[in-house]
Amino acid sequence: MGWTMMGSEVLHEGPFMTLQRDDIVRPDGTRGVYEHLVARDGVRIVAVDGSSRRVLLVEDDFYLRPERVLHLPGGGTDGQEPREAARRELEEETGYVAEALDRLGVIDPLPSTTAARTHLYLATGLRPGTVCRDDTEIGMTVTWWDLADAIEAVRAGRITEAGSVAGLLLAAQGPLAGLLG
């Protein structure tokens, strides 16, 4: 890697993230400071119906965004293995349980800011479960979208959340490619 941490200081510690300042030696040998966020990994789930032509999307309010955000279900791993966190998040947010969860990939949405990764899954064989949202998800809504319309929403800038963009495009070019005529 070439980077060496000489020391570290916690600037702020909260329930979901920590702001940390590290004293470092860069690959070229110079000393410096690197500030970054320490956060849990996340998951996003492309949940498809029996025909795989429709995907589940959620829309929610986020404090830092002035408009509602349309995205795939998902959230933090909360210390669980990513696959188990994906199962939990899908049911909590949408009320659906997946018979199968297949890994689509992983992304590093902000690699210069945090080491947290987003794990992407394809969920099939959906059956009813129980919605159990936390206080930040009270206004969340769940809708079924035609897969082609969801991909167009990515292209048009309507779906912009990094894990949702990557998950939808990976699914559309991989396991669901034959459904986009």
Side-chain angles (χ1 to χ4, degrees):
M1 289 266 304
W3 294 78
T4 305
M5 182 178 63
M6 303 303 289
S8 186
E9 170 187 14
V10 172
L11 301 177
H12 170 78
E13 189 166 8
F16 300 108
M17 70 177 128
T18 299
L19 176 59
Q20 193 166 306
R21 177 183 294 141
D22 295 344
D23 293 317
I24 52 103
V25 177
R26 295 181 187 92
D28 68 0
T30 60
R31 296 282 303 250
V33 172
Y34 202 99
E35 294 178 348
H36 59 98
L37 294 174
V38 177
R40 295 182 202 111
D41 282 2
V43 295
R44 287 284 177 225
I45 305 100
V46 180
V48 297
D49 68 2
S51 71
S52 299
R53 291 197 177 278
R54 296 186 312 155
V55 296
L56 267 178
L57 294 175
V58 296
E59 193 169 34
D60 202 6
D61 296 302
F62 288 89
Y63 174 69
L64 297 176
R65 300 295 313 158
E67 68 279 337
R68 287 179 62 79
V69 176
L70 183 64
H71 58 92
L72 292 172
T77 56
D78 297 341
Q80 293 177 298
E81 289 298 315
R83 183 178 308 278
E84 290 311 306
R87 283 189 193 288
R88 175 184 48 78
E89 286 288 342
L90 179 63
E91 183 175 14
E92 285 178 359
E93 291 186 359
T94 70
Y96 284 95
V97 176
E99 181 179 303
L101 271 175
D102 296 312
R103 188 173 185 274
L104 289 169
V106 62
I107 62 169
D108 297 309
L110 296 167
S112 65
T113 305
T114 182
R117 308 183 95 188
T118 302
H119 302 268
L120 309 169
Y121 291 92
L122 177 68
T124 55
L126 301 181
R127 62 177 168 74
T130 305
V131 172
C132 184
R133 297 185 184 130
D134 66 36
D135 291 342
T136 66
E137 301 166 331
I138 294 299
M140 181 179 282
T141 57
V142 179
T143 57
W144 285 101
W145 278 57
D146 180 80
L147 177 61
D149 292 341
I151 297 303
E152 184 51 38
V154 168
R155 289 188 181 112
R158 174 82 172 90
I159 298 175
T160 59
E161 188 274 325
S164 299
V165 169
L168 286 165
L169 294 177
L170 284 169
Q173 292 193 351
L176 305 180
L179 300 175
L180 296 170

